[in-house]
Amino acid sequence: MSMSAELAPDAPVEGPSPARTPGRWSSVLRQMLQTRRVVFGVVTIVLMVVMAWVGPLLSPWDFGERDYAAFLQPPSPDHWWGTDNTGRDVFVSTMVGLQKSVIIGLLVAVLSTMVAAVVGAFAGYFLGVTDRVLMWITDLLLVLPSFLILAILYPVLRDQGWVVFVALLAAFLWMVTAKMVRGMTISLKEREYVLAARYMGVPAWKIIFRHIIPNMSSLLIVDATINVSSAIIVETSLSYFGFGVQPPDVSLGSLISDGAGQAVTHPWTFVFSTGLLVLLVLAVNLIGDGLRDALDPQSKRRA
């Protein structure tokens, strides 16, 4: 047997594939889902949202439909959560009110955070006259009594619908965040990637929307989450005093206002809407708290 057999060239040996580094948001999500309070908040909100939109479909009563043979009746198989003083089914009314409160809270949070991001970023990037004008407006709105102004303005605009109410709420919830965004923008605009974009002739507004604001996404997401509960509380307060959502629309605040006078004698007209409001605000705050801890590396709550 010949010892001069040709040796085949070595086949390329594949090494172990490099481990993929998980993205920041996947790491944040994983850490949040390992926190009990965040899981409780997420599960609670999901259940409430499903109940708010699916519950009225399962009920034999429609929103606005009245049972003239059952005024202020306690919970029963016919009316799961009882009826109010006009014969409306409390369960259906409460679910519709929960829908409206959730929608208003989300819309106000998104709008106010967007305004805060734009105002703060432009003020911090340009400084000078732009900064003075924008911060003067911000400080002016901070010292004005927003609750009183909303109570005065909304009755004049109530015929425009609840969408105008959302815009008014958002107009008074962005100022504090705008100041924080301004301070972060002053620091971010000296980073290398911003300076490089500026030297390449990229317009200032593109730098703000492509580089400045995206790099503050952590702050803005946490702020938007917390603003949901703030908007719900403000909406409930205004609706309780008759300055918020107007009939025939309902919200948790207007339902609480309607049932407050009968809370002792007919508690079902008051307890269900109040309990859902407390659960909703608590769940949103728990999620916002957990999100803030996950995004803040210096948070004391992180193990």
Side-chain angles (χ1 to χ4, degrees):
M1 187 173 181
S2 177
M3 301 296 296
S4 61
E6 295 182 358
L7 297 177
D10 294 338
V13 179
E14 294 185 0
S17 58
R20 296 182 62 184
T21 303
R24 183 189 183 193
W25 290 109
S26 60
S27 176
V28 168
L29 179 61
R30 184 172 60 254
Q31 181 176 340
M32 288 179 62
L33 294 179
Q34 293 174 352
T35 308
R36 290 183 180 179
R37 65 180 184 276
V38 175
V39 174
F40 173 80
V42 171
V43 171
T44 301
I45 288 184
V46 170
L47 291 177
M48 292 179 70
V49 169
V50 171
M51 185 173 64
W53 268 267
V54 176
L57 301 177
L58 302 178
S59 175
W61 300 91
D62 295 329
F63 175 67
E65 184 180 2
R66 288 171 170 78
D67 186 354
Y68 295 104
F71 294 103
L72 291 175
Q73 293 298 308
S76 65
D78 293 331
H79 298 281
W80 301 338
W81 287 2
T83 60
D84 60 11
N85 55 358
T86 64
R88 290 187 307 181
D89 186 79
V90 172
F91 174 78
V92 175
S93 299
T94 305
M95 293 302 101
V96 175
L98 179 60
Q99 292 178 17
K100 190 59 59 67
S101 293
V102 170
I103 292 174
I104 290 176
L106 290 175
L107 290 178
V108 171
V110 171
L111 288 176
S112 62
T113 303
M114 290 173 57
V115 173
V118 172
V119 172
F122 272 80
Y125 186 86
F126 290 104
L127 297 177
V129 177
T130 304
D131 178 43
R132 288 195 294 270
V133 171
L134 292 178
M135 288 300 102
W136 180 84
I137 296 174
T138 303
D139 293 334
L140 177 63
L141 291 176
L142 276 174
V143 300
L144 291 176
S146 57
F147 189 90
L148 181 60
I149 294 176
L150 288 170
I152 294 173
L153 288 179
Y154 187 66
V156 180
L157 303 173
R158 69 173 61 187
D159 294 335
Q160 305 298 322
W162 61 270
V163 177
V164 175
F165 183 51
V166 169
L168 289 176
L169 286 179
F172 289 93
L173 285 179
W174 57 269
M175 292 82 71
V176 175
T177 306
K179 285 183 167 292
M180 293 190 293
V181 171
R182 173 186 176 273
M184 294 183 66
T185 302
I186 294 176
S187 174
L188 288 174
K189 75 175 188 177
E190 301 300 328
R191 298 288 179 89
E192 293 79 2
Y193 55 87
V194 176
L195 295 176
R198 190 186 305 167
Y199 293 147
M200 292 174 62
V202 179
W205 66 271
K206 285 188 177 181
I207 295 176
I208 291 174
F209 286 105
R210 288 183 180 178
H211 301 290
I212 301 295
I213 293 180
N215 277 279
M216 293 184 288
S217 57
S218 302
L219 168 68
L220 298 177
I221 291 175
V222 173
D223 179 75
T225 305
I226 296 175
N227 276 346
V228 172
S229 59
S230 300
I232 292 173
I233 292 174
V234 175
E235 180 274 323
T236 301
S237 303
L238 288 168
S239 297
Y240 181 85
F241 291 105
F243 300 116
V245 176
Q246 301 294 320
D249 289 328
V250 294
S251 68
L252 291 180
S254 62
L255 292 174
I256 292 172
S257 177
D258 293 339
Q262 306 157 356
V264 177
T265 58
H266 305 89
W268 59 88
T269 63
F270 177 79
V271 170
F272 292 113
S273 55
T274 305
L276 288 178
L277 174 65
V278 173
L279 275 178
L280 179 60
V281 173
L282 175 62
V284 172
N285 284 338
L286 289 176
I287 294 175
D289 192 40
L291 183 60
R292 181 183 57 208
D293 292 345
L295 291 171
D296 184 7
Q298 298 179 350
S299 175
K300 294 182 180 179
R301 289 193 178 92
R302 295 185 65 180

